[in-house]
Amino acid sequence: MNMAGLTDRPVGDADEERGVVRDASGHPTGVLLEAAMQIAARAVLARIPVEEKLSMLQSASRYLNSFGITSVVNASGDLAEIKLYATLRDRGALTVRTRTAFGAVAVQHHLTPQFLADLEEARRRYHDDWVSADLVKFFADGSTGLVPPSCMCRRTTMRWSWHSTSAVIS
């Protein structure tokens, strides 16, 4: 929690703060739900050198290949992650085809100038057989955004295909 900067003070982002489980005294317990998981993800990713991230992705790709998996779809990526895949592709070391949508678990997107610039860069630069950023992720489930760990609830997910005008609700 120290590495992620979690203290007794509320987190600046209200969506993330809602997912920080705190005890009766307001101290974080270490349990992070939904959007609050981004706090830990940012803290960890900021401390891993790029070459180590590339090595981890290359190892994961080879592991997937050992099961015959040759392509993956990531519904919660970002431009930094796509650039990692592209670096491996450019080095001839990417062994799975990747399609990445911008998104994160339970995080509301804000169409900031930076977010839109990242989308445009991804659209412009990454559209080949190995690294592609031509997906969009949507949620339509009516949830409050917080699902207690002990609650098993059915969620509805809508999938949209760029190649059709219909949505599939499951």
Side-chain angles (χ1 to χ4, degrees), residues 104-117:
V105 176
V107 175
Q108 294 183 22
H109 285 287
H110 303 283
L111 298 179
T112 64
Q114 184 60 56
F115 181 76
L116 294 173

Side-chain angles (χ1 to χ4, degrees), residues 3 8 22 29 33 35 44-45 57 63 67 69-70 78 91 94 105 118 125 127 135 139 142 149 158 163 169:
M3 183 171 68
D8 293 347
R22 297 180 181 277
T29 64
L33 302 172
V44 170
L45 288 175
L57 281 174
Y63 182 72
F67 295 101
I69 297 170
T70 59
D78 60 20
R91 292 179 181 179
L94 186 62
V105 176
D118 286 355
R125 292 182 61 188
H127 49 79
L135 301 173
F139 280 104
M158 180 172 71
H163 305 292
I169 308 273

Side-chain angles (χ1 to χ4, degrees), residues 57-80:
L57 281 174
Q58 189 173 16
S59 294
S61 297
R62 288 185 179 143
Y63 182 72
L64 292 171
N65 294 152
S66 75
F67 295 101
I69 297 170
T70 59
S71 61
V72 295
V73 175
N74 180 5
S76 58
D78 60 20
L79 184 59

Side-chain angles (χ1 to χ4, degrees), residues 4-5 17 20 23 25-26 37 58 68 77 94-95 97 99 102 104 106 114-116 118 123 130 139 147 149 156 162:
E17 175 58 31
V20 176
D23 65 20
S25 300
M37 291 185 289
Q58 189 173 16
L94 186 62
T95 61
R97 289 171 170 78
R99 293 184 71 199
F102 280 59
Q114 184 60 56
F115 181 76
L116 294 173
D118 286 355
R123 183 201 63 80
W130 288 95
F139 280 104
V147 178
T156 302
W162 286 111

Side-chain angles (χ1 to χ4, degrees), residues 81-156:
E81 182 179 326
I82 295 167
K83 287 179 177 180
L84 292 171
Y85 295 133
T87 298
L88 288 176
R89 175 203 58 206
D90 295 347
R91 292 179 181 179
L94 186 62
T95 61
V96 294
R97 289 171 170 78
T98 64
R99 293 184 71 199
T100 304
F102 280 59
V105 176
V107 175
Q108 294 183 22
H109 285 287
H110 303 283
L111 298 179
T112 64
Q114 184 60 56
F115 181 76
L116 294 173
D118 286 355
L119 285 174
E120 176 57 21
E121 182 177 345
R123 183 201 63 80
R124 186 176 34 81
R125 292 182 61 188
Y126 305 110
H127 49 79
D128 59 61
D129 289 342
W130 288 95
V131 180
S132 181
D134 62 353
L135 301 173
V136 175
K137 174 182 167 180
F138 292 99
F139 280 104
D141 66 0
S143 168
T144 63
L146 293 175
V147 178
S150 62
C151 176
M152 295 299 290
C153 303
R154 183 178 185 278
R155 291 177 162 244
T156 302

